Amino acid sequence: MDRRRFAIRTYGCQMNVHDSEKLSAVLDGAGLSPTPDESQADLLVINTCSIRDKAEHQLYSDLGKLRQWKAERPGRLVGVGGCVAQQVGDRLLGRFPQVDFVFGTHNLRRVPALLRDAAAGRRAAWIDEDATRGRFDLPLARVEPAGGPRRRAFVTVMEGCDMFCSFCIVPSTRGREISRTARDIEAEVRALADAGVVEITLLGQTVNAYGRHDVRRGRAEDAGTMPFAELLARLDAIPGLERIRYTSPHPLFFDEALIRAHGELERLCPQVHLPVQSGSDRILEAMRRRYDRRRYLGIVEALRTARPDVAITSDLIVGFPGETEEDFEQTLDLVREAGLVDSFSFKYSARPGTAAAGLGGEVPPEVAQDRLERLQSQQREQTLAYHASRVGERARVLLDGASRRGGGQVMGRDRHNRVVNVDLTPGTTAGPGDALDVVIVGATPHSLLGRPLAAGNSPDPR
Ligand code: 5AD
Ligand code: SF4
C-alpha cells in the first residue's frame, strides 16, 4: 500500500521551522511520506505562531479554508501544533470541528499516537509541559531539501525562556528554560558535518543563556552543560564545518567570553542578531529587558573591537504602551549609533496573559504605524550604506537556489548572513548547496550582487 502523505505549513520563527523538520522526521518514522504539495496530502499539520496577534489570526483564517480541503477527500486529517496550540489547547477542538488533533510545543513525539487516535475518530489535544530532556530525543531531521544536498542545518541547544519580558508570550508557549547536554549537541553536529552539512545555526529562545542555571548553581559538570562560549569552542573544532551561527542571544547573557569567542573562533561567523527592542531606558525598563542602552551599545562596541567586520542586526518594537515621541527618537538614535546592518521591526501587539497587556498608555495605531515607517525607512538607508560599503570585497556565498530576481541568477548567503545574488557566467552552472567565491559588484537595500571569481576550492574566508 502507498504510504500516506503529509504536508506541514510552518509559521513564525526558526524554532518553528526546525520543529517542523523534527516533526517530519517523526512522521517519516511513523510510516508517512512528506509532500510539498498539499493537494496530494492525507495529513496537513499547521505549525502555528502566536508572537503577535496577526500571526495567531493566520491560523483561524487557514482553518476556515481547510474545511474545503478536507471535503475534497474523505479521511483527510488536520493537526495543529506550535505556540497557538500550546496556548489554546483543546478549546481548538471545541471551536473547530475540522481540527483532528492538537499538540503542544513539547509534544512532537506524541504526534504518531495522536494521529492514530484521530484516524480512529478520537480527537484529542496533548499540551503537557515536558520538563525533561527526553523531549530532545527526536530522530535527526533526514528530509533533504528539494533540489540539492543539505548544507545548512539548525541545531537546538536550549529551549524555553525564563525572562518574562513584559510584552512576550514565549515564556508561556515554550515553557521553562532547559539546555541539552553538550555531548548530545556535539554528537548531532558531528553527524551533520559527516553527512555534508557545512553551516549550522544553534537555536534557543535565549540561546546564549545556554547552561546558565547549571553554571550558576555550580553543577554544570553533573548536568553536562557549560557556558555558551565554551560550547561554541567545542563545536568550532569539529572537522568539516565551515560556518557556525546562533540565534537569538539576549544582551543580558552576552558576556566577555562570548565577545572573545568572536575574535578567536575560526568558524564562528562575523554576524550577530542581537535583539534590543527599544533605545529608551524608560521603555526597556517597562519591557523588563534588564539592560539599558549603554550596556547594549557597550556590547556592540566590544564586539566590533573583537571582530571589526561583524554585522549586527536586531529586533525592535515600536508603540509599546507609554512610548513617547522622545522614547521613539532614542530608538532611531540607537539604531544609528549601533550601526545596525539590518533589523526586524514590529508594532507592539498586546498578548493575552503578559504583564504589558495590563498597562495603560496605549499608543494610537496611526502613531505606531508612522513610527514603524520612519524606523524602517532609516533602516533601509543604513542597510543600503552597509551594502554599498561592501562593494569591491570578496565573499564566499553558500547557495540556496534560484534568485528571486529571476533571469538565471542564483542566490545565497555570505558569512555575514547577507543575501547575495549572483549572475552566473554563461556556460557555468551552480545550484543549492554549492559555494561560490564572488566579488561584490552591486548593492541594494535588500541584497548584494556578486560576480563569480575563477572557479577554485578556496576555504571559506573569515
Ligand atoms: N508585540 C510586538 N512584537 C513582539 N515581539 C515579541 N513579542 C511581541 C509583541 N507582543 C518581537 C520582538 C522579538 C521578536 C521575535 O518579536 O522584537 O524579538
Ligand atoms: Fe520573549 Fe524576552 Fe524570552 Fe525573548 S527573552 S523569548 S523577548 S520573554
Side-chain angles (χ1 to χ4, degrees):
M1 200 184 100
D2 257 5
R3 280 160 66 105
R4 283 174 304 156
R5 278 175 285 202
F6 69 92
I8 305 180
R9 259 186 223 178
T10 307
Y11 295 108
C13 64
Q14 281 144 317
M15 328 286 156
N16 258 19
V17 172
H18 190 38
D19 280 350
S20 289
E21 292 172 349
K22 293 175 187 171
L23 181 63
S24 282
V26 168
L27 289 171
D28 182 64
L32 286 85
S33 302
T35 170
D37 180 0
E38 291 175 5
S39 72
Q40 300 293 315
D42 307 290
L43 165 68
L44 180 64
V45 178
I46 309 183
N47 192 359
T48 60
C49 171
S50 62
I51 195 88
R52 286 168 291 274
D53 197 45
K54 236 180 165 172
E56 183 174 346
H57 276 99
Q58 182 70 47
L59 170 66
Y60 305 126
S61 128
D62 281 16
L63 287 178
K65 294 178 199 144
L66 281 176
R67 277 194 302 252
Q68 175 64 24
W69 180 83
K70 285 189 84 172
E72 279 162 17
R73 196 194 294 170
R76 275 181 161 170
L77 297 173
V78 170
V80 178
C83 287
V84 181
Q86 187 65 43
Q87 206 184 296
V88 184
D90 58 8
R91 279 172 292 146
L92 279 171
L93 296 174
R95 267 181 70 188
F96 300 97
Q98 63 272 47
V99 174
D100 297 287
F101 64 93
V102 174
F103 59 102
T105 54
H106 295 178
N107 309 116
L108 298 178
R109 289 186 301 174
R110 297 271 172 204
V111 172
L114 284 165
L115 185 58
R116 266 193 305 276
D117 284 352
R122 291 188 299 274
R123 300 162 72 228
W126 202 300
I127 58 163
D128 292 357
E129 175 158 358
D130 176 357
T132 72
R133 286 170 164 166
R135 75 172 200 253
F136 292 123
D137 294 337
L138 290 163
L140 268 180
R142 271 173 303 177
V143 182
E144 297 282 333
R150 188 174 152 83
R151 294 283 191 234
R152 312 202 300 172
F154 292 125
V155 176
T156 302
V157 304
M158 59 83 72
E159 284 183 344
C161 183
D162 293 350
M163 297 303 288
F164 291 90
C165 298
S166 63
F167 53 82
C168 186
I169 200 160
V170 166
S172 77
T173 61
R174 292 277 171 174
R176 300 290 57 75
E177 273 178 45
I178 178 170
S179 294
R180 289 175 82 187
T181 65
R183 187 205 260 180
D184 284 357
I185 296 166
E186 201 179 330
E188 182 171 339
V189 174
R190 277 185 196 277
L192 288 165
D194 287 346
V197 166
V198 294
E199 174 178 318
I200 55 159
T201 301
L202 306 179
L203 293 181
Q205 262 80 32
T206 49
V207 68
N208 59 337
Y210 175 77
R212 67 164 172 138
H213 290 316
D214 303 325
V215 171
R216 187 172 39 92
R217 292 183 196 124
R219 56 180 298 276
E221 203 165 320
D222 291 344
T225 60
M226 55 183 62
F228 185 61
E230 279 176 37
L231 177 71
L232 288 176
R234 281 235 201 160
L235 302 180
D236 197 65
I238 294 178
L241 275 190
E242 289 179 22
R243 298 176 171 189
I244 301 175
R245 309 186 194 278
Y246 57 89
T247 198
S248 290
H250 190 293
L252 191 62
F253 312 117
F254 219 101
D255 56 16
E256 279 181 21
L258 181 51
I259 289 165
R260 241 180 293 123
H262 276 276
E264 290 168 359
L265 301 181
E266 283 277 311
R267 300 174 172 97
L268 189 57
C269 288
Q271 167 253 320
V272 179
H273 181 71
L274 186 59
V276 61
Q277 314 300 358
S278 170
S280 151
D281 283 343
R282 227 172 50 81
I283 297 296
L284 287 171
E285 168 111 38
M287 288 176 161
R288 302 192 186 156
R289 289 292 291 179
R290 308 203 231 168
Y291 54 81
D292 56 15
R293 69 181 273 139
R294 223 179 107 219
R295 163 90 182 120
Y296 186 87
L297 290 169
I299 296 169
V300 167
E301 195 185 307
L303 263 171
R304 289 242 160 77
T305 306
R307 191 67 222 247
D309 64 336
V310 68
I312 299 170
T313 57
S314 197
D315 289 345
L316 298 148
I317 295 176
V318 300
F320 185 83
E323 185 188 70
T324 63
E325 173 63 21
E326 201 183 343
D327 292 318
F328 171 66
E329 281 169 15
Q330 288 182 359
T331 296
L332 290 178
D333 189 67
L334 177 135
V335 169
R336 200 174 306 115
E337 211 175 320
L340 295 184
V341 153
D342 213 339
S343 54
F344 296 110
S345 41
F346 312 99
K347 282 184 279 188
Y348 169 75
S349 161
R351 306 310 291 130
T354 58
L359 295 177
E362 228 176 80
V363 173
E366 63 282 5
V367 174
Q369 181 62 31
D370 175 66
R371 289 180 187 165
L372 185 72
E373 286 168 17
R374 285 157 66 199
L375 176 57
Q376 293 183 340
S377 111
Q378 178 186 312
Q379 183 64 69
R380 238 185 331 273
E381 280 175 29
Q382 282 186 215
T383 304
L384 178 60
Y386 167 73
H387 284 167
S389 78
R390 300 272 318 268
V391 170
E393 277 181 23
R394 290 174 64 149
R396 168 163 272 212
V397 186
L398 191 58
L399 295 180
D400 290 321
S403 162
R404 287 197 189 149
R405 291 152 53 121
Q409 269 187 356
V410 288
M411 67 171 264
R413 295 208 176 235
D414 68 1
R415 290 180 63 82
H416 300 80
N417 212 22
R418 306 315 300 161
V419 172
V420 185
N421 293 302
V422 184
D423 277 322
L424 291 178
T425 4
T428 56
T429 53
D434 293 338
L436 276 181
D437 291 316
V438 304
V439 58
I440 304 297
V441 294
T444 77
H446 307 289
S447 59
L448 298 165
L449 184 63
R451 198 178 56 218
L453 291 165
N457 265 343
S458 61
D460 206 357
R462 272 205 86 197

